[in-house]
Amino acid sequence: MEQQWKKSLYVYVDQLNKGRVAPGSGPRHTTIRDLRFVEEQQERSRRIAEWYRRRGITPLRGETGVRTVRTVRQNPAEVVADVALHSAFYYEKGGMTHREDVVESERLTFVREKGGWEIVTVEHRVPERSGVRKVVESEPALRLSQWGEVLPSPRPSQPLLNRRVLGGAGRESAVRYRREEAAAYADRWWKDGNPEFEIFEVDCTNYVSQCLFAGGAPIHYTGKRETGWWYKGYNGAQEWWSFSWAVSDSLQRYLSGSRQSGLRAELVERPDQLQLGDVIQYDWDGNGHYQHSTVVTAFDAGGMPLVNARTVSSRHRYWDYKDSYAWTDRTAYRFFHINDYL
């Protein structure tokens, strides 16, 4: 039975892959009975085809792999499975070939029919629209140690403070923001996440903060979760970090703030004003609440930024995210250029 329903899964993945390379061509979804999904995909395909045209890109090929993460329910008549889809998309622009990678999650329900297995529902997981885990709001008050104190941790190499930016007598000295190192870190950990840090259920801003830290951005430790920008790891089972480290809207407010030293940024008007290691934040509903964070890791042949992210793990994705299930026509962006010296 397992191999039979998986044949239907592989047909579905092949259709998704072909649709990414040739959107708007109207491939037949022979294994799908979810009419809502089919209609949404048709509209999405038309939008993506127009998006490709506006960007001036030529799709070349796609490679999509699938992994069954969990079988939620399985019986002779029905299978419900959570799957991860890793899509590598190759395209040409200005004589250059680019590759982007995205790992997305879906829940598929298969039903056995006389002619085989069909997909009756497709549920997309859209964690970019979520905030950081709700458990944050219910955590007890934290008893924080003094600056620099080594905390008990289950991970012996748990990162604490960026001591490379400390001068004599504990004073911070200005350092150059190492953009290439921030981007290299982003490319190293975009898919699985660095196990030396806590990996959150909604991980985008935690990941971006790690990239800034890897580029030399100095920790601003205050001992209060609602202020500063810091990460201190674990004390037993309790994780210690500021909201600005892990919550997109909090990081947006921190980068928008004015300060004399430490992590600072300039809000710029256009994405083509950004450099490697800069930050883009996304307000999907246009209501002033920013829900997603990315870091600039490359540029296309037209000089437009390509970004990395986690939660929906992405590498060298076009900055505007119009292929994301989170995107709406109300989406607003904030473009932060990180100061060269911090």
Side-chain angles (χ1 to χ4, degrees):
M1 182 182 70
E2 178 178 355
Q3 293 306 315
Q4 291 175 345
W5 72 263
K6 283 196 172 181
K7 287 180 181 178
S8 179
L9 171 63
Y10 299 146
V11 171
Y12 167 71
V13 170
D14 182 62
Q15 292 165 352
L16 289 181
N17 189 58
K18 290 177 179 177
R20 183 68 189 272
V21 178
S25 59
R28 294 184 61 195
H29 292 273
T30 55
T31 65
I32 300 177
R33 279 195 345 199
D34 186 342
L35 296 181
R36 174 196 54 80
F37 171 78
V38 171
E39 291 174 358
E40 288 178 355
Q41 285 297 102
Q42 290 171 346
E43 175 58 33
R44 174 181 166 83
S45 291
R46 287 190 289 269
R47 176 164 56 84
I48 289 179
E50 175 63 16
W51 184 53
Y52 288 173
R53 187 190 68 78
R54 289 179 179 273
R55 288 171 56 191
I57 71 171
T58 302
L60 299 176
R61 72 180 191 277
E63 300 169 357
T64 302
V66 62
R67 177 173 59 90
T68 302
V69 177
R70 184 168 69 106
T71 302
V72 179
R73 183 167 63 252
Q74 182 168 344
N75 58 56
E78 182 186 51
V79 173
V80 180
D82 292 337
V83 301
L85 301 162
H86 182 168
S87 170
F89 174 58
Y90 298 82
Y91 61 93
E92 183 272 334
K93 180 180 175 68
M96 292 179 58
T97 297
H98 296 280
R99 168 180 170 162
E100 73 170 48
D101 292 83
V102 178
V103 181
E104 295 179 294
S105 298
E106 295 179 351
R107 174 168 289 183
L108 305 175
T109 300
F110 300 81
V111 170
R112 189 171 190 173
E113 301 290 346
K114 292 181 180 179
W117 289 83
E118 294 186 339
I119 300 172
V120 295
T121 60
V122 179
E123 301 173 59
H124 293 290
R125 304 272 173 96
V126 192
E128 303 107 315
R129 296 192 64 85
S130 305
V132 76
R133 294 179 304 175
K134 298 297 183 184
V135 69
V136 170
E137 300 170 0
S138 61
E139 285 179 345
L142 299 179
R143 298 190 304 273
L144 298 177
S145 59
Q146 296 298 313
W147 172 272
E149 181 182 348
V150 177
L151 302 174
S153 171
R155 303 183 182 113
S157 57
Q158 183 71 46
L160 297 173
L161 303 172
N162 195 335
R163 299 183 184 281
R164 288 181 295 180
V165 304
L166 294 180
R171 294 171 49 235
E172 292 186 11
S173 57
V175 297
R176 182 178 64 84
Y177 181 49
R178 300 183 296 276
R179 300 182 178 278
E180 295 79 6
E181 291 185 27
Y185 182 96
D187 279 346
R188 170 68 179 85
W189 297 109
W190 72 274
K191 187 177 180 183
D192 298 318
N194 185 348
E196 298 295 339
F197 289 84
E198 168 71 357
I199 296 175
F200 296 91
E201 184 178 327
V202 178
D203 204 43
C204 60
T205 307
N206 173 44
Y207 167 75
V208 167
S209 288
Q210 291 175 39
C211 297
L212 294 170
F213 181 82
I219 293 293
H220 177 197
Y221 176 69
T222 64
K224 297 179 180 180
R225 303 198 77 160
E226 62 274 11
T227 63
W229 178 76
W230 54 272
Y231 180 95
K232 295 268 296 183
Y234 273 77
N235 180 23
Q238 178 70 66
E239 59 199 77
W240 293 0
W241 40 269
S242 66
F243 291 129
S244 61
W245 181 277
V247 180
S248 185
D249 200 53
S250 296
L251 178 61
Q252 180 270 137
R253 290 195 298 271
Y254 187 80
L255 294 178
S256 298
S258 176
R259 58 189 61 85
Q260 297 300 312
S261 62
L263 176 58
R264 289 165 292 153
E266 175 189 358
L267 185 64
V268 298
E269 295 182 355
R270 305 188 313 273
D272 58 359
Q273 295 175 284
L274 298 175
Q275 299 179 27
L276 287 178
D278 285 342
V279 174
I280 303 178
Q281 296 193 287
Y282 303 74
D283 167 11
W284 306 119
D285 303 305
N287 61 7
H289 180 75
Y290 288 81
Q291 299 147 290
H292 187 52
S293 307
T294 68
V295 60
V296 176
T297 51
F299 296 88
D300 70 11
M304 300 303 288
L306 307 175
V307 299
N308 284 25
R310 276 191 45 76
T311 304
V312 173
S313 297
S314 305
R315 179 182 179 272
H316 295 191
R317 190 171 186 171
Y318 193 70
W319 70 270
D320 68 8
Y321 260 64
K322 287 189 176 181
D323 60 336
S324 169
Y325 288 101
W327 186 87
T328 72
D329 57 9
R330 301 182 301 279
T331 298
Y333 307 91
R334 282 210 149 188
F335 308 111
F336 286 106
H337 172 64
I338 305 302
N339 282 23
D340 289 327
Y341 287 90
L342 306 170

